[in-house]
């Protein structure tokens, strides 16, 4: 038997079965026929289908003597050998058949049965095809019944017909795939057929087939795709096996469906930025082994994947595994993965080696045992260039940076771009004692102006240096990380400098990297929770809203302060996912509270980070949060700090105007602590000015602070902004701020941020003292005395 | 267990000149040891013009022992079959009879055309039950099931086989095999062939008792104290690239690689001009150019029986699954004869230590087409050589049945050998 014939044996078998079951006349015993076909296809002797603890179809036994107990035992895995009259001992293969209750298909073949992994896959495929066929039949039956019951139930009918049509499409796509394999099309055409098939089956615009690199199972390669931008393709070409939804499908070995991509399981930042809204991924198997995943995704909002679509993707992925199974394809496939890997070893922008390649080279050098050193170079303020001058200029800059670094080292030293604005140099010719000199030479090269099309750009670079006189103790990854740590120290010391690594630097980083790992887990495990700090309007004497504040309840560390984990979330991009979750959760929770108090609805303020503002999805996320929660837009306030705005004021203005158009309110947070540019305060469409607690804290100290606070409040008023005073901790502070015309407050004087249940109780209180708006002296104010206000705080804490 | 003695079989001289043999010599039949019931197998053939004479003559030759249990008749329908049957049955009135029409017969003495071959089984060591079923009435699958139920009548025997003769022109024969398999399971092997009509492809006959039937399935369940052996081999190999069966409907192949199947077939093979238009010429041509469809570990051969010039499709003797791959197959003297050897040794090996009493051969008409007269002579000689002194009987079929290991058991363009011990 030639290779080409075994090649497509299983795909062919599956197509034949599919063809058989979809052409069987109505009323035919589909299960019996499928079992029969299965036994014949596998050259088996006996076969059976089990449902609900009974043998519902069997082949190969005399009609009168079907050994029910033996078959049930085989189905349960209690026995792996069937004793068959006339055929002797038969090896057993069992697979689940989901369309039957407790369904199993059992196949027996004379010993030595020697079921190959391809056959196991195929058998699983058969069970799936049978399930599809049974469900299609049920759907048809239902459709008939429905049509009989009510002629006008058009929608349900349409859905059912759609389901039936989809099966037909599946059949056609499988046949097309089959054809491309059997007619020995070049591999890339086969892979394209897989992608085209999935695209046409599911109808989403993005489809990708990722396969695990057999030489490096940690990494997966995108071997075929459609609907991806060139940039996304570059990024996805070779990526960690576990990344994204496709990675989940691989690790779980099961279908993963995410209809809310950015808030869901394991979203890829690139895909979020690209606007992917929903995605599904199914594992691709060879034999028992998951070798990759087939992913479909859409940028359309509100996509819902029907059960039929989910099943079809799984069936098609299953089929894909079989298709890729044969020897010829496997060989070509490995080659393709290797090629893609080789290609993936270079950074497409600068054509320098990438991180993977760099680490490999570093590993080799370590293996040689000669002294070496590593420079880790990170451009200073590159983001600013990118944001202000645009990506094309940013890209051009990176290219020239690569050239300048290369020009500053010796011929056999290796310069790599690790990603973003990070470069690394492996000095294997340069003696270690010259490493710092080299770093300095590079620094100087990079501080020269860059003449880019239409722009002269000045940047700098921070460099971490690791010198390794006797390589061997540390791995390549560890050395590079050390260089990274040293680079961070350099940044911390004020940019534009080089710092030599010292072991003590590691400790900080480790803590941070643990934090990063834990934070990722925390997002998946919902350890991040919102606490709500009441905002009171003393002119009406009640809680009018809250500020939602993120808290992380770490299983070991307890409550982690936001100041510790928010920067990590920002750096890793997790903030995007977290930010969106916060928006939705806060809106949903507030809407829930408001359902019980229709006359006095609460507002909720949510903080927005710079990353969220620049990722382009904020408006969409806010809209989603409002839709999901049903919270009226004016009740949602977005708080932005000055630092968030200054990066790109034009972009910020654009987004804020869009947000205003949604009807939400915008608050400027921490005003007066940073740049405090009056021009943008006037220019941007803010509704609320929050007086920072830094002003409030100073109030106790004297008149100057009080005047400053008064000036800020007056400024707010003159711009017709509402004023909310933050950080009120004492009655005295309250008295002063009330004295200058403020009535809306938040602070520990009443309550710290508290969990939702506690907040609900606070918000229900109606016995808060009202401020006398005109009151001037503390004594005249109905403000709690120091003793009394601690009581009030206690009261509010309850 | 004592072995069979040699020389218990009847055989006939005068192979080359076609002369009739002497009367059967039963004196050299040796009684089996007490553990195994006495069994004998005989074969006879005749080509004389008169149906009655031919039947009588062949039957007499075949009856080489006492207590005949089963007569299996393979006869050209050039004979008046009712008369032929009557003459045969008059020689052994107590024996069950099954049989069918042919496109050429196989006997120990060689292959014949327009002749008759009778195989007889007898002795206390055999038990036999027969059945018939009408395909039009029951459907293919149920007809297979119906005849298979007779296997229950010979359960007392330690070894059983179901000999099945059917009408290959009556639809997908795989269904008959499935129907039978559903009843007897793996326990009873199925073996046999589809009746012929001297290649006219119009109507075949099945014989049961004294009746001549059409569109039927006939079976004999044979129980024996000794094993049966089955060998199957086709001897064809693939030519050229695979084609995808892009559309088929049961036995009808509509398109190959999305092109009308007939056009692809004729073009690929460079078929002679007359095969493009003349149905008979096409069938003759197609005989030696079957299609191959792939199975798990080998390929199955599908005989192309007719061309439908109107719809540009091919009609085969068994199902060609849509979505599967198909190849054009070719064979030559050498490969076909190699298959003969393989099928015979397969059947004989399966007997283990038992010596064969007789061999049934169900040989596809297409193989005959490849071999030609000279080749056929050599083939039958080979079969006889394998059989040593055991008698041989069989016919050229429109499809062969052999289900002995694993499910599925309808074959095309294949030689199926049943060795009886």
């Amino acid at each position: 038997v030639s290779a080409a014939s075994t090649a497509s044996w299983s795909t062919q078998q599956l197509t034949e079965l599919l063809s058989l079951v979809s052409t069987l006349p109505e009323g035919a015993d589909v299960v019996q026929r499928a079992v029969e076909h299965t036994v014949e296809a596998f050259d088996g002797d006996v076969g059976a289908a089990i449902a609900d603890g009974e043998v519902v179809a069997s082949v190969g036994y005399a009609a009168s003597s079907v050994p029910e107990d033996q078959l049930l035992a085989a189905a349960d895995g209690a026995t792996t050998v069937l004793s068959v009259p006339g055929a002797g001992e038969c090896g057993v293969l069992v697979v689940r058949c989901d369309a039957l209750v407790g369904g199993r298909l059992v196949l027996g073949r004379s010993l030595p049965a020697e079921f190959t992994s391809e056959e196991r896959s195929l058998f699983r495929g058969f069970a799936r095809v049978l399930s599809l066929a049974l469900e299609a039949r049920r759907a048809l039956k239902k459709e008939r019944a429905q049509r009989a019951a009510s002629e006008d139930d058009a929608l349900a009918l349409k859905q059912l017909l759609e389901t039936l049509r989809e099966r037909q499409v599946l059949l056609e796509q499988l046949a097309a795939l089959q054809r491309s394999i059997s007619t020995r099309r070049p591999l890339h055409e086969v892979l394209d057929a897989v992608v085209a098939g999935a695209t046409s089956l599911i109808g989403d615009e993005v489809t990708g087939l990722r396969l695990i690199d057999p030489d490096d199972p940690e990494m997966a390669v995108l071997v075929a795709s459609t609907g991806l931008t060139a940039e996304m393709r570059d990024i996805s070409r070779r990526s960690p096996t576990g990344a994204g939804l496709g990675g989940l499908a691989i690790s779980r070995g099961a279908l993963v469906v995410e209809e809310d991509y950015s808030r869901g399981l394991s979203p890829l930042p690139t895909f979020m930025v690209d606007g992917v809204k929903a995605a599904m991924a199914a594992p691709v198997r060879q034999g028992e082994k998951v070798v990759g995943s087939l992913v479909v995704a859409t940028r359309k909002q509100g996509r819902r994947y029907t059960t039929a679509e989910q099943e079809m993707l799984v069936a098609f992925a299953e089929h894909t595994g079989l298709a890729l199974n044969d020897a010829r394809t496997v060989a070509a496939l490995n080659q393709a993965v290797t090629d893609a890997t080789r290609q993936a070893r270079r950074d497409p922008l600068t054509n320098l080696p990438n991180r993977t390649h760099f680490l490999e080279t570093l590993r080799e050098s370590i293996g040689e045992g000669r002294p070496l050193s590593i420079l880790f170079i990170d451009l200073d303020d590159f983001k600013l260039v990118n944001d202000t001058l645009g990506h094309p200029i940013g890209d051009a800059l990176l290219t020239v940076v690569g050239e300048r670094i290369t020009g500053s080292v010796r011929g056999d030293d290796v310069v790599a771009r690790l990603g973003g604005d990070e470069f690394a140099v492996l000095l294997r010719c340069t003696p270690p004692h010259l490493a710092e000199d080299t770093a300095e030479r590079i620094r100087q090269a990079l501080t020269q102006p860059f003449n880019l099309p239409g722009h002269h750009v000045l940047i700098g670079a921070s460099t971490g240096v690791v010198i390794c006189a006797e390589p061997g103790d540390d791995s390549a990854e560890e050395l590079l990380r050390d260089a990274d740590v040293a680079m961070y120290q350099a940044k911390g010391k004020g940019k534009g400098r080089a710092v030599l690594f010292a072991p003590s630097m590691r400790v900080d980083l480790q803590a941070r990297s643990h934090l990063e790992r834990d934070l990722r887990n925390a997002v998946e495990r919902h350890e991040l929770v919102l606490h709500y700090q009441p905002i009171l309007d003393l002119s009406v004497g009640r809680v009018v809203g809250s500020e939602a504040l993120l808290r992380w309840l770490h299983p070991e560390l307890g409550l982690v302060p936001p100041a510790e984990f928010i920067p990590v979330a920002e750096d890793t991009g997790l903030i995007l996912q977290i930010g969106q979750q916060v928006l939705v959760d806060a809106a949903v929770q507030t809407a829930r509270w408001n359902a019980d108090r229709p006359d006095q609805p609460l507002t909720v303020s949510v903080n927005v980070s710079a990353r969220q503002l620049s990722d382009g999805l904020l408006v969409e996320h806010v809209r989603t949060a409002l839709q999901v929660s049903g919270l009226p837009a004016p009740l949602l306030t977005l708080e932005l700090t000055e630092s968030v705005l200054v990066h790109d004021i034009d972009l910020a203005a654009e987004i804020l105007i869009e947000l205003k158009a949604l009807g939400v309110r915008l608050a400027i947070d921490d005003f007066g602590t940073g740049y405090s540019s009056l021009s943008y305060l006037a220019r941007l469409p803010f509704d609320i000015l929050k007086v920072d607690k830094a002003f409030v804290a100073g109030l106790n100290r004297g008149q100057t602070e009080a005047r400053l606070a008064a000036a800020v409040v007056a400024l707010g008023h003159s711009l017709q902004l509402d004023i909310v005073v933050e950080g009120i901790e004492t009655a005295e502070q309250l008295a002063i701020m009330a004295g200058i015309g403020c009535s809306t407050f938040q602070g520990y004087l009443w309550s710290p941020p508290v969990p939702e249940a506690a907040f609900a109780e606070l918000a229900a209180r109606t016995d808060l003292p009202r401020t006398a708006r005109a009151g001037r002296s503390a004594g005249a104010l109905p403000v709690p005395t120091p003793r009394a206000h601690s009581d009030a705080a206690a009261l509010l804490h309850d | 267990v004592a072995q069979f003695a040699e020389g218990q079989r009847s055989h006939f001289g005068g192979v080359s000149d076609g002369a009739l043999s002497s009367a059967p010599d039963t004196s050299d039949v040796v009684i089996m040891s007490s553990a195994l019931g006495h069994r004998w197998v005989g074969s006879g053939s005749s080509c004389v013009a008169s149906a009655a004479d031919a039947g009588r003559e062949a039957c007499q030759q075949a009856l080489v022992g006492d207590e005949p249990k089963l007569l299996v008749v393979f006869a050209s329908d050039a004979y008046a079959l009712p008369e032929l049957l009557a003459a045969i049955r008059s020689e052994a009135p107590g024996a069950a009879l099954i049989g069918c029409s042919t496109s050429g017969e196989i006997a120990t003495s060689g292959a014949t055309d327009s002749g008759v071959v009778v195989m007889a089984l007898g002795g206390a060591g055999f038990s036999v039950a027969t059945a018939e079923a009408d395909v039009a009435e029951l459907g293919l699958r149920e007809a297979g099931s119906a005849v298979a139920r007779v296997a229950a009548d010979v359960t007392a025997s330690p070894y059983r086989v179901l000999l099945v003769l059917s009408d290959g022109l009556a639809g997908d024969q795989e269904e008959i095999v499935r129907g039978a398999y559903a009843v007897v399971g793996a326990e009873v092997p199925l073996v046999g062939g589809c009746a012929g009509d001297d290649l006219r492809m119009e109507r075949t006959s099945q014989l049961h008792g004294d009746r001549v039937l059409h569109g039927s399935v006939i079976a004999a369940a044979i129980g024996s104290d000794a094993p049966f052996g089955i060998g199957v081999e086709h001897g064809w190999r693939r030519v050229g690239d695979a084609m995808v069966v892009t559309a088929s409907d049961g036995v009808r192949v509509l398109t190959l690689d999305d092109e009308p199947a007939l056009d692809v077939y004729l073009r690929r093979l460079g078929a002679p001009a007359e095969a493009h238009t003349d149905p008979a010429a096409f069938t003759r041509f197609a005989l030696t150019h079957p299609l191959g469809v792939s199975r798990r570990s080998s390929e199955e051969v599908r005989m192309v029986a007719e061309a439908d010039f109107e719809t540009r499709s091919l009609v085969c003797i068994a199902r060609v699954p849509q979505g599967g791959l198909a190849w054009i197959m070719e064979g030559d003297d050498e490969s076909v004869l190699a298959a003969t050897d393989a099928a015979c040794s397969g059947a004989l090996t399966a007997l283990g230590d038992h010596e064969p009493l007789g061999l049934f051969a169900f040989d596809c008409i297409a193989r005959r087409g490849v071999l030609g007269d000279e080749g056929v002579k050599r083939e039958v000689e080979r079969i006889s050589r394998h059989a040593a002194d055991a008698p041989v009987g069989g016919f050229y079929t429109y499809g062969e049945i052999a289900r002995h290991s694993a499910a599925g058991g309808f074959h095309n363009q294949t030689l199926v050998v049943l060795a009886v011990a």
Side-chain angles (χ1 to χ4, degrees):
Chain A
V1 181
S2 72
S5 72
T6 51
S8 46
W9 176 72
S10 44
T11 40
Q12 188 183 342
Q13 294 305 320
L14 203 60
T15 317
E16 282 181 20
L17 177 67
L18 203 56
S19 190
L20 170 78
V21 294
S22 52
T23 52
L24 280 178
E26 209 181 327
D29 187 344
V30 180
V31 178
Q32 174 67 33
R33 298 300 296 269
V35 170
E36 232 167 59
H37 185 92
T38 307
V39 174
E40 285 178 28
F42 284 85
D43 281 351
D45 294 277
V46 291
I50 315 290
D52 234 351
E54 281 181 28
V55 176
V56 293
S58 75
V59 170
Y61 293 102
S64 53
S65 55
V66 178
E68 185 129 345
D69 292 345
Q70 216 187 115
L71 285 169
L72 290 175
D76 290 345
T79 174
T80 53
V81 174
L82 291 169
S83 175
V84 179
E89 306 268 275
C90 287
V92 174
L93 211 53
V94 180
V95 69
R96 280 164 55 108
C97 181
D98 293 331
L100 302 171
V101 180
R104 295 281 186 284
L105 287 186
V106 179
L107 172 70
R109 190 159 81 200
S110 295
L111 292 177
E114 289 171 348
F115 293 109
T116 63
S117 67
E118 183 188 10
E119 287 178 313
R120 289 170 195 278
S121 293
L122 178 63
F123 195 43
R124 206 167 40 232
F126 268 37
R128 199 165 288 289
V129 165
L130 174 58
S131 285
L132 280 170
L134 288 173
E135 276 158 17
R137 263 154 207 272
R138 282 174 202 155
L140 185 68
K141 227 176 184 172
K142 211 162 116 193
E143 184 232 307
R144 295 240 165 85
Q146 204 143 36
R147 201 160 41 193
S150 129
E151 282 288 341
D152 53 14
D153 199 353
L155 183 66
L157 186 66
K158 200 175 143 232
Q159 281 170 349
L160 284 164
L161 288 173
E162 191 63 15
T163 310
L164 297 173
R165 191 193 60 80
E166 280 162 349
R167 318 275 162 177
Q168 185 55 36
V169 176
L170 176 62
L171 188 60
E172 283 163 13
Q173 289 308 325
L174 292 182
L177 177 57
Q178 158 82 41
R179 211 164 303 151
S180 71
I181 293 162
S182 56
T183 50
R184 305 185 199 175
R185 307 308 303 161
L187 179 72
H188 69 91
E189 286 185 30
V190 175
L191 298 176
D192 288 347
V194 169
V195 165
T199 308
S200 109
L201 276 175
I202 310 297
D204 281 358
E205 64 273 22
V206 179
T207 303
L209 174 62
R210 294 173 83 227
L211 296 176
I212 298 173
D213 181 349
D215 295 330
D216 178 8
E218 296 290 301
M219 300 298 282
V221 175
L222 184 72
V223 292
S225 68
T226 182
L228 292 176
T229 61
E231 193 195 354
M232 286 167 77
R233 223 174 26 239
D234 279 339
I235 291 169
S236 318
R237 185 178 293 145
R238 189 178 159 84
S239 53
T241 298
L245 221 53
L248 268 187
I250 290 173
S251 64
R252 293 183 182 172
L255 176 76
V256 187
V257 183
E258 188 46 76
E259 290 170 346
D260 189 355
Y261 187 79
S262 52
R263 274 176 37 82
L265 307 155
S266 198
L268 294 173
T270 7
F271 278 55
M272 285 171 69
V273 169
D274 187 66
V276 165
K277 296 289 189 292
M280 286 199 286
V284 173
R285 288 194 176 83
Q286 274 174 3
E288 298 304 307
K289 217 169 110 196
V290 177
V291 297
S293 57
L294 186 60
V295 188
V296 294
T298 181
R299 301 185 183 91
K300 291 189 195 98
Q301 189 77 42
R303 177 78 159 95
R304 292 285 173 271
Y305 293 107
T306 63
T307 316
E309 286 173 326
Q310 298 182 15
E311 279 170 7
M312 277 196 292
L313 186 69
V314 173
F316 199 69
E318 200 77 74
H319 199 91
T320 301
L322 289 170
L324 303 177
N325 213 359
D326 68 88
R328 179 182 59 95
T329 314
V330 167
L333 208 54
N334 287 341
Q335 188 59 47
V337 170
T338 308
D339 289 350
T341 302
R342 188 172 304 138
Q343 205 180 358
R345 284 157 50 88
R346 290 219 166 251
D347 163 46
L349 177 66
T350 59
N351 204 31
L352 294 172
N354 63 10
R355 179 183 290 267
T356 312
H357 191 170
F358 183 79
L359 285 170
E360 278 172 26
T361 316
L362 181 53
R363 243 170 257 138
E364 283 166 22
S365 297
I366 293 170
E368 288 163 11
R370 281 185 298 163
L372 55 86
S373 33
I374 298 159
L375 311 181
F376 195 111
I377 303 163
D378 187 279
L379 303 185
D380 296 332
D381 300 319
F382 173 72
K383 192 177 175 323
L384 209 60
V385 175
N386 236 359
D387 289 348
T388 53
L389 304 180
H391 287 284
I393 297 293
D395 287 353
L397 176 65
L398 289 172
T399 311
V400 182
V401 167
E403 287 164 7
R404 287 195 187 172
I405 297 175
T406 308
S408 308
V409 299
R410 300 192 183 186
D412 211 26
D413 293 337
V414 180
V415 179
R417 179 175 171 226
L418 302 178
D421 58 349
E422 292 175 346
F423 292 81
V425 184
L426 167 60
L427 300 174
R428 49 183 184 182
C429 308
T430 311
H433 69 272
L434 295 179
E436 286 181 273
D437 294 346
T438 309
E440 174 57 20
R441 199 162 56 239
I442 291 172
R443 194 191 64 78
Q444 283 177 9
L446 297 181
T447 47
Q448 301 302 310
F450 289 81
N451 294 320
L452 303 171
H455 299 276
H456 289 276
V457 179
L458 275 173
I459 55 158
S462 301
T463 307
V465 183
V466 170
I467 294 176
C468 190
E470 291 174 14
D473 288 347
D474 293 318
S475 71
E477 287 79 2
E478 283 167 335
L479 288 176
L480 187 61
R481 197 196 50 209
D482 289 348
D484 191 2
V485 170
M487 185 278 292
Y488 259 102
Q489 297 277 330
K491 286 254 191 223
K493 285 183 178 172
K495 301 183 177 174
R497 50 180 90 209
V499 166
L500 186 63
F501 172 77
S504 63
M505 297 175 184
R506 261 187 205 167
V507 181
D508 297 345
L509 182 90
Q510 260 171 6
R512 191 184 156 89
S513 82
H514 284 155
L515 199 63
E516 183 180 327
R517 184 198 59 206
D518 290 355
L519 185 59
R520 283 185 192 284
N521 290 337
V523 173
E524 279 197 27
R525 294 175 193 156
H526 302 286
E527 287 167 15
L528 296 175
V529 294
L530 285 178
H531 282 190
Y532 297 86
Q533 186 170 37
I535 298 175
L536 300 91
D537 185 342
L538 295 185
S539 69
V540 295
R542 60 178 171 81
V543 174
V544 291
S546 69
E547 178 175 355
L549 292 154
L550 195 59
R551 292 290 180 267
W552 177 10
L553 201 56
H554 190 288
E556 289 153 29
L557 305 176
L559 215 52
V560 182
E564 276 184 33
F565 73 86
I566 293 290
V568 176
E570 291 259 6
D571 285 354
T572 52
L574 277 169
I575 193 74
L576 298 178
Q577 194 182 345
I578 296 170
Q580 200 197 358
Q581 205 164 326
V582 167
L583 270 170
V584 172
D585 291 352
V588 166
Q589 182 56 59
T590 305
R592 209 173 283 155
W593 286 323
N594 289 345
D596 296 334
R597 42 187 300 159
D599 300 332
Q600 297 179 336
L602 296 167
T603 64
V604 64
S605 297
V606 173
N607 292 283
V608 172
S609 76
R611 259 316 252 278
Q612 280 175 286
L613 199 65
S614 61
D615 95 324
L617 288 172
L618 181 62
V619 177
E620 202 48 55
H621 289 173
V622 170
R623 184 180 292 133
T624 310
L626 291 173
Q627 276 169 358
V628 169
S629 64
L631 186 73
L635 296 182
L636 177 63
T637 302
L638 302 180
E639 295 193 4
L640 299 100
T641 61
E642 289 178 291
S643 57
V644 167
L645 303 168
V646 292
H647 274 304
D648 186 341
I649 185 82
D650 293 331
L651 179 73
E654 216 173 281
I655 294 172
L656 295 190
I657 287 164
E658 279 187 63
L659 288 170
K660 277 304 291 176
L662 292 178
V664 300
R665 290 166 44 98
L666 302 174
I668 176 79
D669 207 356
D670 305 346
F671 182 79
T673 57
Y675 298 77
S676 303
S677 159
L678 280 176
S679 73
Y680 73 68
L681 188 57
R683 205 174 118 199
L684 298 174
F686 283 108
D687 305 285
I688 300 166
L689 186 152
K690 292 195 91 169
V691 179
D692 191 73
K693 58 174 169 283
F695 293 103
V696 178
L699 288 178
N700 302 351
R701 290 201 295 268
Q703 288 298 308
T704 320
E705 281 75 11
R707 277 203 296 275
L708 250 177
V712 170
V713 171
L715 177 68
H717 281 151
S718 72
L719 291 170
Q720 294 180 316
L721 300 177
D722 290 345
I723 308 286
V724 176
V725 186
E726 287 185 297
I728 299 286
E729 292 183 352
T730 67
E732 198 182 349
Q733 291 167 346
L734 172 62
I736 295 169
M737 293 312 291
I740 53 176
C742 300
S743 65
T744 312
F745 301 97
Q746 91 191 70
Y748 275 56
L749 177 57
W750 294 278
S751 169
V754 292
E756 36 190 67
F759 179 82
E761 282 186 38
L762 288 178
R765 298 251 169 196
T766 53
D767 50 354
L768 292 170
R770 287 171 180 247
T771 42
R773 262 189 164 298
R776 283 188 178 273
S777 79
L781 281 173
V783 156
T785 63
R787 183 186 163 79
H789 77 234
S790 64
D791 289 345
L795 180 101
L796 285 161
H797 274 293
D798 282 343
Chain B
V1 175
Q3 290 304 304
F4 307 95
E6 288 300 313
Q8 63 194 22
R9 310 159 199 99
S10 169
H11 34 100
F12 308 93
V15 172
S16 56
D17 59 7
L20 300 181
S21 71
S22 58
D25 178 4
T26 54
S27 62
D28 61 2
V29 172
V30 174
I31 305 302
M32 305 290 97
S33 80
S34 61
L36 298 173
H38 168 62
R39 300 176 316 285
W40 58 265
V41 176
S43 160
S45 76
S46 174
C47 289
V48 298
S50 147
D53 291 350
R56 196 172 304 118
E57 190 172 79
C59 191
Q60 282 169 358
Q61 292 167 18
L63 292 171
V64 295
D66 295 335
E67 217 185 324
K69 292 274 175 67
L70 175 67
L71 302 175
V72 185
V73 178
F74 307 119
S76 165
D77 62 3
Y79 286 122
L81 293 174
E83 285 170 43
L84 182 88
L85 285 185
I88 293 171
R89 281 174 59 80
S90 67
E91 295 298 313
L97 184 150
I98 67 165
C100 65
S101 58
T102 63
S103 294
E105 306 78 37
I106 295 168
T108 315
S109 51
T112 56
D113 273 313
S114 310
V116 55
V117 169
V118 176
M119 286 287 278
L121 283 76
F126 284 126
S127 55
V128 170
T130 64
E132 66 181 52
D134 187 274
V135 170
E137 186 191 330
L138 296 175
L140 289 157
R141 175 180 285 252
E142 184 46 37
S145 293
V147 295
R149 292 194 183 100
V150 292
D153 295 345
V154 295
T155 38
S157 304
Y159 299 99
R160 289 185 289 168
V161 69
L162 192 72
L163 196 56
V164 180
L165 301 172
S166 66
D167 185 349
L169 304 181
D172 181 4
Q173 301 293 301
E174 283 179 305
E175 283 290 283
I176 290 176
V177 174
R178 288 194 191 110
Y181 193 48
V183 169
V184 296
E187 213 171 340
V188 181
L190 311 172
V191 69
C194 298
D197 66 346
D198 286 330
L199 266 181
R200 290 188 308 275
M201 296 283 170
E202 286 163 10
R203 189 178 81 159
T204 69
S205 305
Q206 294 76 45
L207 314 172
H208 189 210
D210 55 2
R211 287 173 315 123
V212 178
L213 308 161
H214 312 288
S216 293
V217 186
I218 312 290
I222 308 172
S224 171
D225 291 349
F228 298 94
I230 297 172
V232 186
E233 206 64 51
H234 61 68
W236 301 88
R237 57 175 179 264
R238 294 169 175 167
V239 202
D241 284 341
M243 301 169 287
V244 178
V245 181
T246 39
S248 72
D249 181 10
V251 300
R252 185 180 290 266
V253 185
L254 301 168
T255 59
L256 293 167
D257 288 338
D258 284 324
E259 245 192 283
L262 178 61
D263 297 339
V264 177
Y265 182 83
L266 292 172
R267 190 181 65 232
R268 280 253 199 147
L269 288 168
E274 63 270 22
H276 284 253
T277 49
D278 174 26
F282 177 87
T283 298
R284 273 197 306 279
F285 173 74
L287 261 187
T288 54
H289 300 95
L291 290 179
V293 296
S294 96
R295 298 271 305 157
R296 187 176 71 93
S297 50
S298 61
E299 63 276 308
E300 284 272 290
V301 189
R302 291 287 177 261
M303 174 177 174
V304 180
E306 314 171 24
D308 184 332
F309 292 106
E310 195 116 317
T311 62
R312 313 303 293 168
S313 56
L314 300 171
V315 181
C316 299
I317 291 284
R319 224 168 64 82
V320 177
Q322 178 172 317
L325 295 188
W327 286 263
I328 287 173
M329 308 287 281
E330 69 175 10
D332 53 31
D333 285 22
E334 204 178 309
S335 66
V336 167
L337 289 173
T340 306
D341 287 336
C344 291
S345 14
L348 294 169
T349 307
L351 294 182
D353 292 338
H354 298 269
E355 289 294 323
L357 293 179
L359 255 55
F360 283 87
F362 303 94
D363 199 356
C364 184
I365 182 71
R367 291 167 45 85
R368 192 178 182 187
V370 171
L371 290 171
D373 289 346
E374 191 52 34
V376 162
K377 208 171 134 192
R378 278 164 54 205
E379 179 179 35
V380 178
E381 279 168 18
R382 281 199 192 205
I383 296 173
S384 299
R385 202 177 310 144
H386 280 282
D389 293 326
V392 177
F395 73 109
Y396 288 100
T397 59
Y398 286 176
E400 306 75 45
I401 293 167
R403 198 229 60 80
H404 59 120
S405 72
F410 183 69
H411 309 271
N412 277 191
Q413 324 272 91
T414 297
L415 172 61
V416 170
V417 175
L418 169 67
V420 181

